[in-house]
Amino acid sequence: MDQRRNWPRVLDSDGWSVALLCLLLASLSRSVSSNALFNTFHSENRDWTFNHLAVHRGTGAVYVGAINRVYKLSGNLTILVAHKTGPEEDNKSCYPPLIVQPCGEVLTLTNNVNKLLIIDYSENRLLACGSLYQGVCKLLRLDDLFILVEPSHKKEHYLSSVNKTGTMYGVIVRSEGEDGKLFIGTAVDGKQDYFPTLSSRKLPRDPESSAMLDYELHSDFVSSLIKIPSDTLALVSHFDIFYIYGFASGNFVYFLTVQPETPEGVSINSASDLFYTSRIVRLCKDDPKFHSYVSLPFGCVKGDTEYRLLQAAYLSKPGEVLARALNITAQEDVLFAIFSKGQKQYHHPPDDSALCAFPIRTVNAHIKERLQSCYQGEGNLELNWLLGKDVQCTKAPVPIDDNFCGLDINQPLGGSVPVDGVTLFTSSRDRMTSVASYVYNGYSVVFVGTKTGRLKKVRPVRGSGEPGAGSVSLGML
Ligand SMILES: *[C@@H]1O[C@H](CO)[C@@H](O)[C@H](O)[C@H]1NC(C)=O
Ligand SMILES: *[C@@H]1O[C@H](CO)[C@@H](O)[C@H](O)[C@H]1NC(C)=O
Ligand SMILES: *[C@@H]1O[C@H](CO)[C@@H](O)[C@H](O)[C@H]1NC(C)=O
Ligand SMILES: *[C@@H]1O[C@H](CO)[C@@H](O)[C@H](O)[C@H]1NC(C)=O
């Protein structure tokens, strides 16, 4: 697999120019004879900004989710197909299905912001979800963007109408030849009764299947979903969870979120009084009851400065050199993440930002420790926003190994001690907003995009000191 083709996948609208540059470098290095310095692609309307990008790891085709369009481009950015998704007549206060709940609101021509764009490789299709009609999705054929299905007749088909990117993330989990699963985390914008913040859905191979996007499990007692309790919104009126990134690794699915802190019993009604925390959420892939839910804060620190506002992340391999410095193997997963300074101003993050690395092994070790101490009956579950109160951990003599997927006690489990990453690079100006990486000659090469559209190429190298994570320093190429 050509890893270079993977890197632009995570870049958000902020990092778009970076994504283009990456593509350019990649295509230039392949066709040296090209005399054009670079190729560009613009949507037909200046206001229809790009929201998501997916590059097919086999064909190199570039899929772009934009406002009102999904595009398919060739690797040299020649347009192949433009698929219209909007604008359409809609009103955010209309709750589908319209047949069941006719809507008397005034309908206006509304933009469809692309919220999710994922290639479902084993079925050769593209999942594209928008902000219209409470957030419906289409499955498009990869070849020509022909609509295979656009399920929109029941509640489960609506994922959330929040019309901002950087609020929803999805991960497809599939074993060869079987029906897939879609894990979805999304901001709900106060509609917590209607939309779960996190859920897992069926993704049948047959696009016509009536089970498309149904919750994996839904009963009166246990379900594959988590809702924000209305008590939490009563206490903190602007509470929501923003899903910045997600991925699968080993037996687990991970989501990286930013959410307001909810100090116990303290009511906060002004958005400007909120402190935000970035969190890693982990679930077992095979746990339809969601008993494996664990969430820990994460971030990184340099000197006295704490970086706690997640901006972007990318899962990659470390390469031999960084792997040695981190005391892991080159085959293990490493998460590269960008954080902005502090815990306030999530919506206007400070320019001071940091690039940090988290070996997944380390993340898992922290989670295992947290589980083990809770099952020894120590402390509370520490998940105020979801539990609404302090709930004590229950002592239970259960062996907790690396693949422990929870029981009906001691779940869902939170925590307050942050998992801190290895700080690779910081910059006080021109906030870093996107990240991608690949391995070249055993070296990890990290590309970072900034808010003004600059591209930094960062090579974390091992310093001359003692081996170990502490001695990772940085070379700018
Ligand atoms: C771009 O790529 C397509 C197909 O990959 C090819 O047919 C076309 O000639 C290329 N155009 C340029 C300008 O290189
Ligand atoms: C939605 O409907 C309400 C009530 O009919 C109306 O006041 C509002 O302007 C409509 N919103 C849009 C975006 O058209
Ligand atoms: C998103 O919705 C808000 C409020 O309904 C509106 O003002 C804004 O223009 C919308 N964004 C886009 C990109 O259409
Ligand atoms: C490196 O990792 C191994 C096993 O994963 C562990 O036994 C060893 O103590 C670690 N070394 C350092 C310096 O952290």
Side-chain angles (χ1 to χ4, degrees):
M1 193 206 330
D2 182 352
Q3 288 193 332
R4 279 178 304 180
R5 287 196 176 149
N6 273 341
W7 19 278
R9 203 171 38 171
V10 289
L11 298 168
D12 57 17
S13 51
D14 268 352
W16 177 246
S17 44
V18 179
L20 275 186
L21 266 173
C22 290
L23 286 174
L24 289 179
L25 297 179
S27 56
L28 278 181
S29 63
R30 273 180 224 143
S31 61
V32 187
S33 62
S34 164
N35 34 10
L37 246 182
F38 53 81
N39 302 323
T40 58
F41 170 73
H42 303 272
S43 60
E44 54 255 60
N45 182 323
R46 226 167 232 288
D47 298 329
W48 296 353
T49 49
F50 301 140
N51 307 124
H52 295 101
L53 182 65
V55 181
H56 193 282
R57 62 184 179 221
T59 65
V62 177
Y63 298 90
V64 179
I67 293 179
N68 298 330
R69 294 286 184 275
V70 173
Y71 298 103
K72 180 182 180 182
L73 314 174
S74 66
N76 60 22
L77 306 188
T78 307
I79 184 162
L80 301 174
V81 188
H83 175 90
K84 182 174 185 270
T85 59
E88 300 280 358
E89 301 279 338
D90 192 20
N91 187 308
K92 267 193 163 182
S93 326
C94 288
Y95 281 80
L98 291 179
I99 318 150
V100 182
Q101 306 178 62
C103 186
E105 315 291 335
V106 176
L107 300 180
T108 29
L109 212 52
T110 310
N111 281 330
N112 197 355
V113 177
N114 178 261
K115 299 277 297 294
L116 199 66
L117 192 76
I118 318 179
I119 297 175
D120 185 5
Y121 281 97
S122 64
E123 301 302 318
N124 280 311
R125 58 195 184 184
L126 185 67
L127 179 72
C129 306
S131 58
L132 277 186
Y133 309 133
Q134 305 295 345
V136 295
C137 301
K138 296 179 184 192
L139 280 169
L140 304 171
R141 197 155 65 193
L142 284 180
D143 261 6
D144 52 5
L145 303 187
F146 171 83
I147 303 178
L148 296 167
V149 70
E150 184 175 9
S152 60
H153 61 273
K154 55 183 182 188
K155 208 173 161 180
E156 284 80 2
H157 296 151
Y158 305 90
L159 298 185
S160 142
S161 59
V162 173
N163 72 353
K164 281 194 218 76
T165 41
T167 57
M168 176 191 273
Y169 214 90
V171 176
I172 292 179
V173 171
R174 188 187 282 285
S175 10
E176 202 59 49
E178 281 176 28
D179 281 350
K181 272 184 249 185
L182 173 67
F183 288 80
I184 287 275
T186 182
V188 300
D189 196 20
K191 296 173 181 174
Q192 83 287 352
D193 287 336
Y194 208 86
F195 304 115
T197 175
L198 188 61
S199 57
S200 74
R201 315 298 190 101
K202 295 176 182 166
L203 199 62
R205 300 176 69 196
D206 174 10
E208 309 280 338
S209 164
S210 62
M212 185 61 76
L213 297 183
D214 279 357
Y215 297 119
E216 205 190 337
L217 177 69
H218 199 192
S219 75
D220 288 347
F221 305 106
V222 283
S223 296
S224 321
L225 59 89
I226 286 178
K227 287 191 170 186
I228 297 171
S230 42
D231 287 356
T232 297
L233 281 149
L235 217 51
V236 179
S237 55
H238 296 85
F239 187 86
D240 211 342
I241 302 179
F242 306 102
Y243 290 80
I244 311 295
Y245 188 67
F247 58 91
S249 174
N251 294 328
F252 303 103
V253 171
Y254 301 76
F255 282 94
L256 309 180
T257 70
V258 181
Q259 61 192 70
E261 289 193 345
T262 52
E264 217 209 333
V266 180
S267 158
I268 306 172
N269 288 306
S270 158
S272 60
D273 291 338
L274 293 176
F275 277 80
Y276 290 82
T277 309
S278 304
R279 306 188 71 99
I280 297 183
V281 175
R282 194 187 78 173
L283 284 167
C284 287
K285 282 176 178 170
D286 290 311
D287 171 30
K289 296 178 177 176
F290 275 29
H291 282 168
S292 57
Y293 184 100
V294 182
S295 156
L296 294 181
F298 80 133
C300 52
V301 178
K302 187 177 183 197
D304 294 334
T305 310
E306 294 193 25
Y307 296 88
R308 299 273 176 231
L309 295 174
L310 181 68
Q311 304 294 306
Y314 190 79
L315 187 74
S316 189
K317 302 290 179 192
E320 274 144 39
V321 178
L322 183 61
R324 226 175 295 134
L326 296 173
N327 190 28
I328 59 174
T329 68
Q331 289 73 43
E332 286 179 52
D333 285 336
V334 172
L335 182 74
F336 292 97
I338 306 274
F339 296 86
S340 196
K341 179 180 155 178
Q343 290 193 269
K344 302 276 291 179
Q345 299 170 288
Y346 170 62
H347 295 285
H348 303 282
D351 274 351
D352 200 345
S353 49
L355 166 68
C356 310
F358 299 82
I360 297 304
R361 175 207 291 253
T362 309
V363 171
N364 288 340
H366 277 89
I367 291 176
K368 185 168 151 187
E369 244 171 62
R370 176 74 181 108
L371 281 163
Q372 284 171 337
S373 88
C374 188
Y375 274 82
Q376 276 156 21
E378 292 163 12
N380 296 324
L381 299 186
E382 297 191 71
L383 206 62
N384 276 339
W385 71 267
L386 186 51
L387 299 170
K389 55 179 195 284
D390 280 344
V391 176
Q392 272 195 336
C393 286
T394 306
K395 190 176 166 81
V398 178
I400 291 165
D401 63 9
D402 288 343
N403 289 313
F404 183 69
C405 284
L407 298 176
D408 56 4
I409 53 163
N410 293 333
Q411 62 79 31
L413 181 61
S416 50
V417 180
V419 179
D420 279 329
V422 177
T423 308
L424 298 176
F425 175 65
T426 61
S427 159
S428 59
R429 273 174 297 149
D430 196 16
R431 177 166 47 94
M432 297 186 269
T433 53
S434 58
V435 58
S437 108
Y438 78 119
V439 174
Y440 182 76
N441 266 352
Y443 283 91
S444 169
V445 182
V446 186
F447 291 88
V448 169
T450 72
K451 71 171 190 190
T452 64
R454 285 170 169 273
L455 181 65
K456 292 178 199 285
K457 185 175 175 183
V458 175
R459 190 183 64 170
V461 293
R462 204 173 126 181
S464 51
E466 292 292 303
S471 68
V472 173
S473 65
L474 191 99
M476 290 278 288
L477 300 177

